[in-house]
Amino acid sequence: MRKGLLIIISGPSGVGKGTVREFIMNDPTLNLAFSVSCTTRAPRNGEINGREYFFISKQKFEEYIKEERFLEHANFCGNYYGTLIDFVDELRNKGKNVIVEIETNGAKQIIEKLNGNDEISIFIIPPSLDELERRIRGRKTETEEVIKERMKKAEEELKLAPLYDYVVQNINPVQCGEEIKQIIKNKLK
Ligand code: 5GP
């Protein structure tokens, strides 16, 4: 059986990665699975342990780092986030094309390790920084301080676009999702 692809989807926080990912994952022909990351941040309303994230303590996260269980990990706005090697490999070995939806420091770490054959990296960009701020505010999940921090970080993150195989603008989730689906289909040919 062919090993599944590793599909890295990155972009600044609030750009709509999650919505686009959900749209893409609704297409059964792509045989996709989502890499559930570990995080030390608190669950938001409606988030379920093991579905959006594995919500773990800082101490446990640091143990996992020592045990080299992460493909990549990063500190984002005061919390750890990391992709589990075993979680991703098990799915890929079953032939699933695995979507890793992560921030740019982590994506950079994976891209540097890639051999390019069974992997694609995609960077989602907002139509503008103003639009990004509007979207983050619209989510109403972050405090003013966190919004400012995330906007500052977004400006830095956008500079990393040239590292990726593909850059896709998210004007709306359907257009952006369709473009990404096409990228994946071309890779699967
Ligand atoms: P949020 O707190 O909004 O769920 O996520 C914050 C940021 O962390 C988002 O950009 C999200 O894509 C990213 N993220 C989620 N999981 C991981 C991960 O495993 N590794 C890294 N490096 N970033 C992640």
Side-chain angles (χ1 to χ4, degrees):
M1 191 205 293
R2 181 176 166 177
K3 191 175 173 184
L5 297 177
L6 180 70
I7 303 160
I8 300 150
I9 297 187
S10 191
S13 166
V15 78
K17 295 191 290 286
T19 315
V20 170
R21 187 246 309 158
E22 277 165 25
F23 175 81
I24 300 167
M25 293 200 58
N26 277 334
D27 184 340
T29 66
L30 297 175
N31 195 23
L32 297 170
F34 173 57
S35 160
V36 178
S37 296
C38 290
T39 185
T40 59
R41 88 148 161 73
R44 292 187 188 129
N45 260 347
E47 286 184 334
I48 292 172
N49 188 39
R51 189 181 67 185
E52 279 80 13
Y53 287 104
F54 295 109
F55 296 99
I56 64 174
S57 66
K58 190 164 176 259
Q59 191 191 355
K60 189 150 189 179
F61 200 104
E62 285 170 351
E63 269 169 40
Y64 283 9
I65 297 175
K66 276 202 204 109
E67 292 164 10
E68 300 186 354
R69 289 172 69 166
F70 292 120
L71 183 58
E72 60 71 39
H73 63 89
N75 193 307
F76 182 86
C77 296
N79 286 299
Y80 282 130
Y81 295 81
T83 305
L84 291 164
I85 296 172
D86 286 353
F87 193 92
V88 170
D89 280 352
E90 276 173 32
L91 288 164
R92 290 183 74 195
N93 289 337
K94 284 186 203 152
K96 286 279 182 191
N97 301 310
V98 178
I99 296 199
V100 176
E101 182 204 312
I102 57 178
E103 55 70 65
T104 48
N105 282 320
K108 193 164 172 265
Q109 291 169 42
I110 302 190
I111 290 169
E112 280 162 1
K113 288 185 207 163
L114 299 184
N115 62 33
N117 288 335
D118 294 317
E119 295 120 347
I120 330 175
S121 57
I122 301 166
F123 192 63
I124 302 181
I125 58 168
S128 66
L129 279 172
D130 283 350
E131 175 59 19
L132 184 69
E133 184 166 349
R134 207 184 59 75
R135 287 181 195 176
I136 295 178
R137 286 185 185 284
R139 210 156 63 176
K140 295 196 170 75
T141 50
E142 271 82 28
T143 61
E144 189 61 31
E145 195 191 341
V146 172
I147 291 171
K148 291 223 167 77
E149 200 181 347
R150 289 195 172 202
M151 284 308 298
K152 203 168 132 226
K153 175 134 173 125
E155 276 183 58
E156 286 163 31
E157 287 183 300
L158 285 171
K159 295 183 191 145
L160 296 170
L163 289 176
Y164 294 76
D165 297 329
Y166 300 91
V167 177
V168 180
Q169 200 176 39
N170 183 12
I171 298 163
N172 67 67
V174 174
Q175 151 273 332
C176 181
E178 287 297 349
E179 280 183 42
I180 294 177
K181 280 196 316 193
Q182 201 50 54
I183 292 169
I184 298 170
K185 280 180 189 161
N186 289 343
K187 185 79 181 180
L188 289 171
K189 267 183 199 161

